[in-house]
Amino acid sequence: MGLINKVKLNFSSMFKKIFNKKKARIGIYGPPNAGKTTLANRIIRDWTGDAMGAVSSVPHETRRARRREGVTIESNGSKVTLDIVDTPGLATKVDFHEFMAHGLEEDESKRRAKEATEGIIEAVKWLDDLDGVILVMDSTEDPFTQVNVTVIGNMEARSLPLLIAANKVDLPESSPARIRTAFPQHPLVPISALDGQNIDSLYEKIAQHFG
Amino acid sequence: MPHKCTRCEKIFKDGDIAILDGCPNCGWNKFLFVHDESEEGDDAKSPDKQPGKKGLKEIDEFLSDQEPGTEEITKTEDEPEQDRIESLRINEPGSYELNLEALLERKEIIMAMKEDGKYVVHLPSVFDAKKKKKK
Ligand SMILES: Nc1nc2c(ncn2[C@@H]2O[C@H](COP(=O)(O)OP(=O)(O)OP(=O)(O)O)[C@@H](O)[C@H]2O)c(=O)[nH]1
Ligand SMILES: [Mg+2]
């Protein structure tokens, strides 16, 4: 309990710092296929009309971090201008067989596996340059993974403000409540990046926490 | 610390992932650590590091002769214990294991490569410099 309170305190002071800036660089993190790029595309399309990058059901579609600068979000009178960084999915293992199972040739699969690995290292490096993180999780999946636990623990250690986007709530088997139970110390918004469900609540939280 | 190819002597910057495939210039797969003068004295986190003494270091120093998959990085005199956690292992081309915790926490990336004759690359990353800047 004490630990959780301390963490919360850290966050609110960090949020305040960002609040004063009204400008924040936010990274979108999470495991492969959680919907990070889908979310980045939606945010950028909703507020600028552009797109961010390719989305695919094949994991590790994003293998280089991409940044979009100057995305201004306004909600409930709060306003924040964000640099948004979409990052490659974090994983503890990348194996080319995974890509071959999706029908890719061996050479292409090996190339992708190497790029995905480099992408994970790049994503980790970006953490040093961020003011906050949106952690995207697939709410149809068990949130207690090594990736989620490790990443959240590290962000807490860095006092990096964190907002959890419990994605894919359009799917019947989704359970954002399971994520909330797993990581109760962080603000969470259930969303569907795909169909836009509850996305306004996310913008509200972003403007409130990062703006 | 930058890396220098032991064959063509080309220098690569800190944490340059291009050398994952061998030297981009000549294809060789052995590198030396080249001490960067500008880094001297700025490593408050590693008091037992002695930059002057370090100079060039053979990456082979990090090699151990254990079986693939079970290797541990050999202890060397002037490397603090905490820096010797392997963060990336290459089982075979296209198959990688990442120690996310080490990647996130450590200031250096240690790669164990099992292709083309095994060798280990110890990559000082850019993390640390940036973290310092923040403080
Ligand atoms: N049903 C549903 N599918 C989604 C949602 N968001 C993303 N997807 C799908 O999930 C798959 C992965 O989406 P991406 O946005 O590419 O995921 P990512 O996290 O960027 O993946 P990597 O770049 O590979 O790490 C795609 O098939 C998307 O259409 C959602 O809210 N609901
Ligand atoms: Mg993506």
Side-chain angles (χ1 to χ4, degrees):
Chain A
M1 204 52 199
L3 181 70
I4 288 172
N5 283 338
K6 195 166 144 238
V7 167
K8 272 194 180 142
L9 202 74
N10 273 344
F11 285 161
S12 52
S13 66
M14 284 297 288
F15 286 143
K16 219 180 259 153
K17 230 186 266 167
I18 295 165
F19 179 82
N20 292 333
K21 278 204 284 190
K22 293 271 180 194
K23 220 173 170 330
R25 184 177 279 170
I26 300 301
I28 302 183
Y29 283 78
N33 248 351
K36 299 176 293 299
T37 306
T38 307
L39 177 61
N41 282 341
R42 178 165 288 275
I43 297 174
I44 288 157
R45 199 188 58 209
D46 282 358
W47 298 96
T48 73
D50 305 335
M52 187 88 175
V55 165
S56 163
S57 60
V58 181
H60 303 291
E61 176 63 24
T62 308
R63 296 185 296 283
R64 290 300 309 264
R66 281 180 169 227
R67 172 165 48 142
R68 168 66 202 240
E69 296 182 293
V71 181
T72 300
I73 290 181
E74 254 184 292
S75 179
N76 272 348
S78 313
K79 191 169 158 181
V80 61
T81 300
L82 303 176
D83 288 353
I84 294 175
V85 184
D86 178 28
T87 66
L90 299 176
T92 53
K93 209 173 161 61
V94 181
D95 193 294
F96 71 99
H97 292 102
E98 198 182 342
F99 296 107
M100 292 187 71
H102 281 274
L104 294 171
E105 295 292 331
E106 182 168 335
D107 281 356
E108 168 70 7
S109 296
K110 286 185 172 168
R111 189 175 63 78
R112 279 204 189 207
K114 178 171 168 278
E115 287 174 1
T117 304
E118 292 167 353
I120 292 169
I121 294 171
E122 194 194 4
V124 168
K125 286 182 181 174
W126 263 103
L127 273 178
D128 290 333
D129 285 332
L130 298 176
D131 302 307
V133 163
I134 298 175
L135 187 57
V136 182
M137 296 185 201
D138 181 337
S139 7
T140 67
E141 285 178 6
D142 178 9
F144 266 119
T145 63
Q146 201 187 337
V147 169
N148 289 342
V149 171
T150 305
V151 167
I152 287 180
N154 186 263
M155 286 172 189
E156 287 171 353
R158 292 170 187 246
S159 298
L160 204 52
L162 179 66
L163 186 58
I164 299 175
N167 194 31
K168 309 200 183 181
V169 295
D170 56 290
L171 298 173
E173 67 272 33
S174 69
S175 172
R178 190 165 48 180
I179 302 177
R180 205 190 294 276
T181 308
F183 307 108
Q185 69 273 38
H186 298 289
L188 176 149
V189 190
I191 58 159
S192 168
L194 191 65
D195 71 11
Q197 224 180 109
N198 211 30
I199 203 82
D200 287 337
S201 306
L202 182 75
Y203 294 146
E204 212 174 289
K205 273 259 172 21
I206 290 176
Q208 187 189 328
H209 285 321
F210 302 133
Chain B
M1 250 187 310
H3 323 283
K4 184 166 108 179
C5 175
T6 59
R7 186 195 268 166
C8 72
E9 311 221 308
K10 196 166 155 54
I11 309 260
F12 301 92
K13 67 170 166 38
D14 273 16
D16 193 340
I17 48 188
I19 67 172
L20 265 176
D21 279 339
C23 176
N25 195 40
C26 71
W28 191 237
N29 63 4
K30 288 212 164 55
F31 299 86
L32 291 168
F33 294 113
V34 190
H35 183 58
D36 182 352
E37 296 297 319
S38 67
E39 282 180 1
E40 214 153 337
D42 104 40
D43 211 338
K45 268 190 172 170
S46 317
D48 33 351
K49 254 189 193 163
Q50 293 174 287
K53 180 175 132 196
K54 208 160 188 173
L56 297 179
K57 174 179 285 199
E58 273 281 3
I59 273 164
D60 293 303
E61 271 186 52
F62 286 97
L63 290 178
S64 64
D65 46 15
Q66 287 152 18
E67 285 305 297
T70 63
E71 82 287 348
E72 201 169 277
I73 290 156
T74 314
K75 201 170 175 168
T76 58
E77 200 195 330
D78 53 357
E79 282 295 307
E81 185 85 45
Q82 61 186 48
D83 291 344
R84 254 171 268 109
I85 302 223
E86 188 182 299
S87 36
L88 171 63
R89 176 181 302 181
I90 302 176
N91 297 321
E92 58 171 308
S95 176
Y96 309 89
E97 276 176 55
L98 296 113
N99 181 341
L100 273 187
E101 200 167 353
L103 280 175
L104 285 161
E105 280 173 11
R106 314 274 156 178
K107 63 193 172 76
E108 290 159 309
I109 298 175
I110 297 177
M111 279 187 232
M113 307 189 56
K114 294 294 157 201
E115 42 189 308
D116 303 329
K118 66 176 184 178
Y119 64 105
V120 177
V121 182
H122 179 204
L123 292 186
S125 77
V126 295
F127 305 167
D128 200 40
K130 282 187 184 155
K131 252 184 231 153
K132 272 187 205 125
K133 190 183 64 192
K134 254 191 186 171
K135 274 173 203 161

